[in-house]
Structures are given as structure tokens and as C-alpha cells.
Amino acid sequence: MAVVLIVALTHAARAASFAAKDLQVLGRAIAFMQPPPPPDAVVAIAFMAGNADSKRDAEAIAALIGSGLAAGHATLRPRVVDIAGLSAGGFSVVIAAAGANGAQLSAAAKAAKALCVTTEADAVRDGVCAMAITSEPRVEIIVNHAAAAAAGIDFAAAFRMMIREM
Amino acid sequence: MAAILISATTRSRRLAAAVSLMACAAAAKAQSVDYQGLEQLFGEPVTTSVTGKPQRVADAPANIEIITQDDIRRSGATNIPDVLAFVTGVDVRTYGPGAADVGIRGYNQSANSRLMVLINGRQVYMVDYGRILWASLPVEMDEIRQIEVIKGPNSALYGFNAVGGVINIITYDPTKEKINAASARGGTQDYASGSVVGTAAIGDTAGIRLSAGGFQANNFAPGPLDTVDSRTRERPFTGNFNADGRWHVTPSVDAFMEGSYGTTRLSQPSPEGALFTEQTHQWSLRAGVSADTGLGVFTLSAYQNTTYLRGDAVTQTPPFLFLEHEQQEVAVIEANDLVKIGTDHTLRFALEWRDDSDATDFVHGRLADIDYAAALMWDWQITPEITATNAARIDHAEIRYSGVPTAASGLTVAAFDAVRITEPSLNSGVVWKATGMDTFRLSLARGVRLPTLVEQGIQSDFGTTGPVAVYGKPNLLPAITWNAEIDYDRQIPSIASVLRTALFLQRTDNVIATPFGGPITFGPTGYPITTAANVGYSTAAGMELAIRGHAASGWRWNLSYALAATTDHTSLNTGPAIVSTELYTRSVPEHVVIVGAGFSRDQWEADLMARWQSSFVDTRSILGTPPLRFVVVNNYVTVNARIAYRLTNQVTLALVARQLNSASLVTTAGVPTERRLIASLTARF
């Protein structure tokens, strides 16, 4: 049983749109939000309702985080939810699972005053999501200034000077 | 004396006004650079030393190397020059335990004035020659977060002296990094040293780090030195205390205050090639505030460095012992605003006021250099892959002299008061991240080295310090250094390594010969006079190739080659006999190879480093005529080794061998360098 679980988790990890290192970068990056989220940061992982692949990706990301992923001074706590469920609030960061990026997610993140994070740079370029993270071959962070501002998100000045804004 | 007191009072009022202004700084929403957080986020060290804005090394528009605390620990070095000796493109002249001169890309001589060194942004040079008294720096090795080495001029950010390069020593932030350590060391040359570093939180928003340390040792054996030189070879020691406090006044405003005291006694060569021993007492106090005002991160700081110096020297022919006393002071007020405009542009505006002064018998009064500077840096991210940075600074310097020049010098108060120097500095760079693996860097710089106070004002009449008169020249021109450079960096993940390459061309106009090394004329009764002078130009060309990596298995390695070829075009030393110490051609080794390997596993840590350098020519003062002679320092290899064992999670025992391969090596024209064996016990908790 244990072997099956490990295989399943490994498969999930491989399939996830976020790698473990991306999540470490996320945990450290949110420390530069002004004001920063609480150390025990609930991270919503949003999937597109009715999209099985999207839900599977969200669950894979949640599996990588586990019950809590320590990164810097923050510990990420996952909550898998469909986009409509974001209206319940209670989180300051929302991860866009595969297939979730779009106007619906963008509106939900803004309404929740949450930082939308994705690994798809195009989604940030289009203003759908506020932050894109890449951790290989080197860490790159892209922030859509307008999208972040629309969600009421601001970052420390030093952080802004080290990332790519658009 | 009255003038000295009045001047000091005025300076204190200005500093007090600056500190008061800091207390009134407006609150807003961000704070100063979080080195730890940014380093952990991006997985590599972060620097602000190149442009003033926080950057990763690969993104900086200049050639910079960052030596981390891990590098420092593994080097086994007990002082900063010993760490720098294994940095590609850096030359270190070692004179004894704790005594050294450091140069970057050639032009390293005793009392080197082409290097700017800072501790957390506070400049720590001696105002007499613009040199660095390394052992007097009030910082313990255990409290250094990183040492940042910028190669090439960076005057547009730091002003004068930063023509060869910049070394910025960054310590841990006491509000975020709780560094507590104690070290005890003992070794050959009767070496004994100790240091303690302690950090305490003050409430939830403030922290203070206190450190103290020092060493004493025997000098290296004088070997074949002249008897007169040996007379000044007193036992070296140093003792330093430092306090560093930082306070998050609000979530958006930081305040900081640093203070230090130290005393040092060292023997090392003077610029005229003779050995001398000097003892110093030095104090520093710095305070500042940093806040985001909505118009950028605004920083205001002020500091004062004070050094009392007593020197004993033996110079020239016949042997002549003299004493000198100096009170050197540096007072600085600086303000800058760093702002990101839109998504692609970062600007930094800066203003600086500086008062460097030296009250000494050598200038028969007090000589001060007042500098006003304004600077602008513009960083433009043109595309995601290409960034251009332009920085310009203009310095306006004036001399204030209070005293009575000696009649024989021919100098007058009016000649000093007439000095006005206004010079621009420039740093431009383009960084092109061609791929995720490849980065190209193209840079052009114009650096300015202002004449030092000794070069402008020394008045040593015939018979005062020997059978020669030595005079400064107030109206010296500043030396201008142009540097053009192209760099290429490549990540090589297959072997977990980074390749870094650099090609540079450099030209320095208006080369300044120190008063001891300038042209010789003759006085009314035929005695020789040497005078500071602008003596021509000098060119340099070179390259650096370095690869460095580490593996998950615990292995690490590095290999580098540096070339720095210098050619003088000056009016000095053109005859058959050497008459001047100003000898840049071949004054540093042209070729240097550094290789290192290390391994960490479980409780063990072992490192082996070797440095080979080609021969070079040095000069030294001798008994005879002419009073200088060439000394050819043959090529040599020096091998260092360190092995450490962690006794507990907190306590580490280490053995270090410096110059393991040879009991004694001639590394300069001065005292041969001896093998050093050092055992250390360090507790970190």
C-alpha cells in the first residue's frame, strides 16, 4: 500500500505544474509582500471546475506542499479549491493550477485581495495572474504591476528592483 | 591648534544636524535591503555595491565577486587580506602577520591608494595616503556575511580612490541573523588571537551585535634586511571592538548606528620603500536611517572616523630615525534616494559631503580636503534580456589649510587655498543575458583618484627625515583612469560549475608620483629635493578566466588564471639608476594561477588552495647611493591547507597551514614571508 502511495505521489509530483523548488521560491517571495502574509500562510490552489486535469494538477501541487511547507519564515498550508470557491476567502495567495488561468480566476483573486501565482509567464503578461515563478535554470520572478495593484498587492522596494516587472 | 578645534567643532555640528534630520525622516512602507531573505530567494548572494540597487552577481553591470562566509571559513584565513589573496585578479603584498597591501588588476604598491574599502558602506581609508590599514578594520571574521570585490573603477558610486576597485565588507544584520561565536587561535610566530561575536534582540524590532577581537604575534624574521630596518620591527598586535545596532522603527523605516574602537601596531613598508612601525588608535561612529517615502528608498547617514597615529621610521642614507604623530579624521554626510519608476527604470540620486583632514607635523598644521559630490545612476531594463546602466558623479574638492608652511618648501597658504578640483566620474554597462546559461557584460568607466593629503601638503625639509627634502604639490591634477571591459559568464550545470571570463583595457592619465617617489631637483646648497608630481600615463591590459563549482557529494573546486600587464609612460626611472619607487611596470606579477579543492562530509571539512605567480620587480630603500634598488621577486607557489573537525554541533577544531610548501619565501622587497601554522577552536551557538 505504501509503495502504491509513494508511486502515486511521485507521479503526482512529476505531473504538477509547480515543482517543489518553485514552491520554495513562492514561500520566500511572499515575505516581500507589503504587508507580508502571516507566517502560517494559507495558499489556495485553484482549479477549473469540471476540468479533471486541472483538479489533478491542483492536488499534485497540494501533495508537494503536504501538510505544511516551510520556506524562509513562512509555512505554506495548502487548500485545494475550485475557482468559485475562492469567494470564501481566508487566504492571501492563490496558486493557479493548470487550466485555471483566465478571467474568472483573475477576478476571484482581485476580489479576495490575494496574490495570484502561476508558472505560466504568458498569464502574467496578459494580466490574468500577478506573479510568475521559474526556478530553473535560475530563479526568475515576473510580476504584472497592474494586476498586483488591482488586487491591492504591493512589494518591498528592494524586491521590486530584483525582479522583472511588466 | 585653535583652527583645528574650530574646524572639528564645525564638523561636529554638521554631523549632529545630519543625525537630527535622520530622526525626523518620514515614515512609509519599505525598508533597507534584506540580504539574507533575497539570497535565500534567488539562491545566490545579493549585492548593492555596484550600482546602489540590490542585484544578483550575474545581473550587475560590473565585474564583481562575492566571497561568502562559507568561503571565508574554509579559507582558514585570520585576516581579510589572506582571504583576498585567493581571489582572481587580486594581488596581496604580505609584510607580516596582519600587515598587507591589496591591489586589483595591477598597480599594487605599498600604501596603495587605488582601492576603496568599506564596511557596510562606511569608507575606512587612511587619509594620509588613501591607504588601508587592514588590521585596524573593526570587524571579526565570524561576523562577515560576505566580502564584495568589484574589479575596475567604480568612482561614479564611491568617488575618489575607487579607481582600481572596491571592496565592500558586509556584516550580518543583527535584527535578522543571530550570530554568536567565539574563537581562539594559536600558532607559530607566537601567534595568539581571539574573537567573540554576540547578537541580542531588543524587543521584536531591534537588534544589536557586539564583537571584539585581536591578535599578537612575532614579526617574520628580518632575514637579509639592513640593520636599520630591524630597529623598527616591533611586535605587531591589534585589538578591535565594534557595535552594530539596527532598529525597525516602523515596518517601513529602519535606523542604524555603528561604533568602533581599535588599536593596532604593525610594521610595513612606507611608500619610499623603507620599513616603519606605526601604532594607531582609531574610533568610528556612524548613524543613519532608511525609509521608503513613496518617492523611493531614501537613506541618510553620517559618520566620522578618527585615527591617532604614531609612526617610527628609518629612512634613506645614512640611517635616520624619526617619529611622526598624526590625527586623521574623515567626516561624511551622505544622502541618496533609490527609486523604481514604472517597470523598467531605476534611478538613484545621491549627494555627499566629505571632510578629510590630517593634522601632523609633516604639514606643519592641519590640511583638509573638502569634497562635495552629486551622483545619478540610471538602470534601464531595455528588454527582459538586456539591461543598460549609466552612472555619473561629479566631485568638487577644495583644500583648507591652517598652519604655516616651512620657508624652504616654497609653499604658501594661498597656494593651498587656491586648489579647486572638479571632476566627473562615469560608469556605464550593458548586461545581456543571451540565454539562461550565458551572460555577456560590456562596461566602460572613468575613475578619478584625487591627490592625497600627503601628496598635496607634506613639507619635510632637508634633515628632518633624512638627507633629502620632501615636498607635496597642492595643485596636483587628479589621476584619471579609463577602463573598458567585456565579460562572459556561463553556467555549466553538467559539472555544477560557473565559468567567468573577463578582458580589460585600462589607461591612467596624470599618474601621481608620491612626494617620496617624484622627480628629484636640488636645493640652494645642493641637497636633493623630491616632490610629488603628475608624471605621465600608464596603461594596463589583462584577462581573467575562472571556473568554480561544487557537487552534492561534498566536493568543491576552483581554477583561475589572471593576466595583468602594465606599461609605464612616465618621466621617472628613465636613466640607468632607479630613483623613484613609482614603478608600475612589472610591479605586480603578470601571471597568476589559483587552484583549489575541498571536501565536506559528516564532521569533516578539508580544503587545499595553491597560488602561483610570476616574478615581478619591487623596490626598497637601502644604505648607499642611489638610495633605492631593484629587488626581483622570483615566481613562487604558495600552498594553504585547512582541515576541520566538528566536535559537536557548536564546536569546531581546525588546523590551518599557510605557505605549507615553504618555510620562507621572498614575496616582496621587504621581509620574507614565513610559513604559518595555526590551530583554532570555534564555538557557534
Side-chain angles (χ1 to χ4, degrees):
Chain A
M1 182 61 184
V3 173
V4 172
L5 183 61
I6 289 169
V7 169
L9 284 174
T10 304
H11 178 72
R14 280 179 186 157
S17 58
F18 273 72
K21 192 174 175 185
D22 296 332
L23 295 167
Q24 283 287 338
V25 171
L26 170 61
R28 296 180 193 282
I30 60 176
F32 293 94
M33 290 169 64
Q34 296 287 343
D40 219 23
V42 175
V43 177
I45 306 170
F47 63 92
M48 180 63 75
N51 183 330
D53 288 343
S54 183
K55 185 175 183 185
R56 210 164 18 245
D57 185 51
E59 288 167 344
I61 295 168
L64 285 173
I65 297 175
S67 59
L69 179 70
H73 298 298
T75 300
L76 306 182
R77 306 282 183 196
R79 182 191 300 167
V80 176
V81 60
D82 67 17
I83 294 174
L86 291 173
S87 59
F91 54 88
S92 50
V93 177
V94 54
I95 290 176
N101 275 315
Q104 197 181 348
L105 174 64
S106 176
K110 287 173 190 169
K113 299 293 182 189
L115 174 69
C116 175
V117 183
T118 179
T119 53
E120 298 172 19
D122 287 345
V124 173
R125 198 168 297 120
D126 297 340
V128 172
C129 207
M131 176 183 282
I133 287 175
T134 307
S135 59
E136 294 292 348
R138 71 173 217 156
V139 173
E140 298 283 2
I141 297 171
I142 305 172
V143 167
N144 186 306
H145 194 63
I153 305 292
D154 197 5
F155 294 97
F159 176 81
R160 285 189 57 214
M161 292 173 194
M162 294 193 65
I163 62 172
R164 186 147 64 92
E165 289 186 302
M166 52 181 57
Chain B
M1 178 58 82
I4 295 172
L5 291 175
I6 290 169
S7 178
T9 303
T10 304
R11 200 167 43 247
S12 298
R13 283 177 183 159
R14 284 174 176 163
L15 287 170
V19 171
S20 300
L21 187 56
M22 290 164 203
C24 299
K29 60 180 182 190
Q31 61 272 342
S32 55
V33 173
D34 176 3
Y35 283 92
Q36 182 189 39
L38 292 171
E39 177 182 322
Q40 291 175 347
L41 171 61
F42 292 104
E44 58 182 291
V46 170
T47 179
T48 62
S49 292
V50 178
T51 63
K53 87 170 217 180
Q55 291 175 303
R56 299 151 83 168
V57 170
D59 297 345
N63 194 312
I64 179 171
E65 285 197 37
I66 294 185
I67 305 158
T68 65
Q69 171 58 219
D70 283 344
D71 297 330
I72 294 168
R73 185 189 71 249
R74 290 169 187 152
S75 74
T78 55
N79 56 66
I80 294 169
D82 282 350
V83 176
L84 297 172
F86 285 82
V87 176
T88 310
V90 175
D91 182 65
V92 176
R93 298 162 57 95
T94 301
Y95 309 125
D101 271 304
V102 177
I104 295 177
R105 293 178 170 173
Y107 299 102
N108 193 16
Q109 293 192 312
S110 56
N112 185 19
S113 59
R114 293 172 56 96
L115 184 68
M116 178 59 78
V117 178
L118 310 96
I119 300 175
N120 296 326
R122 178 175 69 88
Q123 301 177 349
V124 291
Y125 56 89
M126 304 280 283
V127 300
D128 48 8
Y129 296 98
R131 65 194 165 115
I132 306 300
L133 196 59
W134 289 94
S136 73
L137 302 187
V139 61
E140 302 306 315
M141 304 299 275
D142 287 327
E143 65 183 322
I144 299 175
R145 155 172 273 284
Q146 60 196 38
I147 301 172
E148 303 172 356
V149 181
I150 304 172
K151 302 171 195 171
N154 206 350
S155 295
L157 198 65
Y158 298 104
F160 86 107
N161 270 33
V163 292
V166 175
I167 294 175
N168 197 2
I169 300 160
I170 306 295
T171 60
Y172 287 106
D173 180 344
T175 63
K176 298 184 175 72
E177 298 161 305
K178 309 303 179 195
I179 304 301
N180 297 293
S183 295
R185 306 180 194 90
T188 53
Q189 291 88 26
D190 284 342
Y191 177 87
S193 76
S195 68
V196 291
V197 179
T199 309
I202 304 173
D204 294 333
T205 58
I208 186 168
R209 190 187 63 256
L210 304 176
S211 66
F215 83 90
Q216 59 177 358
N218 290 331
N219 270 307
F220 298 150
L225 289 174
D226 300 321
T227 308
V228 289
D229 290 331
S230 302
R231 287 170 56 183
T232 63
R233 305 285 292 157
E234 297 178 65
R235 185 175 164 83
F237 67 81
T238 192
N240 290 309
F241 169 79
N242 183 58
D244 180 355
R246 304 186 198 186
W247 176 30
H248 300 308
V249 183
T250 73
S252 39
V253 178
D254 284 355
F256 57 91
M257 181 171 279
E258 303 168 4
S260 71
Y261 166 75
T263 182
T264 296
R265 184 172 71 194
L266 290 174
S267 296
Q268 53 193 351
S270 63
E272 66 268 33
L275 289 177
F276 75 114
T277 294
E278 60 186 356
Q279 184 164 346
T280 62
H281 296 272
Q282 62 272 346
W283 292 262
S284 73
L285 184 64
R286 182 179 189 222
V289 66
S290 179
D292 189 332
T293 62
L295 293 173
V297 179
F298 176 73
T299 303
L300 177 65
S301 70
Y303 60 87
Q304 175 145 355
N305 307 333
T306 300
T307 303
Y308 291 104
L309 181 152
R310 175 184 183 275
D312 303 339
V314 179
T315 62
Q316 305 296 346
T317 310
F320 199 100
L321 176 66
F322 69 90
L323 303 178
E324 61 170 317
H325 296 87
E326 295 183 47
Q327 179 179 335
Q328 302 184 12
E329 291 186 83
V330 176
V332 176
I333 301 173
E334 54 192 1
N336 68 73
D337 187 46
L338 183 66
V339 58
K340 186 164 185 180
I341 298 175
T343 57
D344 301 327
H345 302 274
T346 302
L347 298 176
R348 181 181 184 270
F349 305 90
L351 294 172
E352 181 179 308
W353 169 85
R354 173 168 26 198
D355 180 346
D356 293 353
S357 68
D358 197 353
T360 166
D361 293 341
F362 277 143
V363 298
H364 295 270
R366 177 179 180 275
L367 190 60
D369 192 341
I370 316 297
D371 188 55
Y372 307 89
L376 172 65
M377 185 280 296
W378 171 35
D379 182 270
W380 177 23
Q381 187 164 345
I382 301 171
T383 72
E385 294 79 27
I386 300 175
T387 304
T389 305
N390 289 287
R393 167 173 166 139
I394 189 156
D395 282 83
H396 174 78
E398 301 177 2
I399 288 182
R400 303 271 196 278
Y401 179 69
S402 50
V404 180
T406 67
S409 70
L411 299 175
T412 63
V413 173
F416 285 113
D417 289 346
V419 173
R420 301 281 187 277
I421 297 174
T422 303
E423 281 291 341
S425 302
L426 170 72
N427 280 88
S428 288
V430 175
V431 178
W432 175 35
K433 288 183 275 188
T435 72
M437 303 290 180
D438 304 276
T439 302
F440 293 88
R441 193 178 300 109
L442 185 65
S443 62
L444 178 70
R446 183 187 197 264
V448 176
R449 179 173 95 70
L450 292 180
T452 66
L453 294 178
V454 167
E455 290 163 350
Q456 291 174 306
I458 189 171
Q459 304 146 39
S460 178
D461 288 343
F462 176 75
T464 305
T465 58
V468 62
V470 180
Y471 297 123
K473 185 177 179 183
N475 60 345
L476 285 169
L477 298 172
I480 307 297
T481 297
W482 282 95
N483 187 84
E485 177 166 346
I486 184 164
D487 303 341
Y488 168 62
D489 301 345
R490 178 167 177 79
Q491 305 279 337
I492 312 174
S494 58
I495 54 172
S497 296
V498 179
L499 171 70
R500 305 198 72 197
T501 66
L503 284 170
F504 68 91
L505 290 171
Q506 202 172 97
R507 174 180 166 126
T508 300
D509 289 305
N510 308 331
V511 168
I512 300 172
T514 73
F516 302 100
I520 298 177
T521 57
F522 293 93
T525 58
Y527 60 83
I529 302 171
T530 66
T531 311
N534 296 107
V535 292
Y537 71 97
S538 180
T539 58
M543 63 179 292
E544 285 142 19
L545 296 169
I547 187 166
R548 178 185 178 107
H550 64 276
S553 60
W555 282 98
R556 53 188 168 272
W557 55 85
N558 61 280
L559 173 65
S560 72
Y561 166 72
L563 166 69
T566 309
T567 306
D568 289 346
H569 304 271
T570 70
S571 55
L572 301 174
N573 294 323
T574 54
I578 180 172
V579 295
S580 171
T581 55
E582 304 297 325
L583 185 75
Y584 297 125
T585 301
R586 297 192 62 210
S587 67
V588 294
E590 283 191 3
H591 308 277
V592 177
V593 175
I594 295 171
V595 60
F599 183 74
S600 297
R601 175 170 290 180
D602 302 328
Q603 280 76 31
W604 291 94
E605 198 168 65
D607 287 271
L608 193 66
M609 292 154 281
R611 185 183 197 277
W612 171 84
Q613 65 175 45
S614 59
S615 65
F616 70 100
V617 176
D618 203 1
T619 58
R620 67 177 270 93
S621 175
I622 59 169
L623 293 173
T625 303
L628 290 172
R629 75 171 181 219
F630 284 118
V631 175
V632 176
V633 178
N634 291 321
N635 76 88
Y636 65 87
V637 175
T638 185
V639 178
N640 293 351
R642 173 183 181 267
I643 186 163
Y645 181 76
R646 208 167 61 238
L647 300 171
T648 70
N649 284 339
Q650 288 79 35
V651 180
T652 301
L653 175 67
L655 298 173
V656 175
R658 308 196 70 82
Q659 199 176 294
L660 177 64
N661 55 311
S662 178
S664 179
L665 277 175
V666 174
T667 60
T668 68
V671 181
T673 308
E674 294 179 356
R675 176 189 294 138
R676 284 174 284 169
L677 304 174
I678 298 170
S680 70
L681 194 64
T682 301
R684 291 183 174 84
F685 42 88

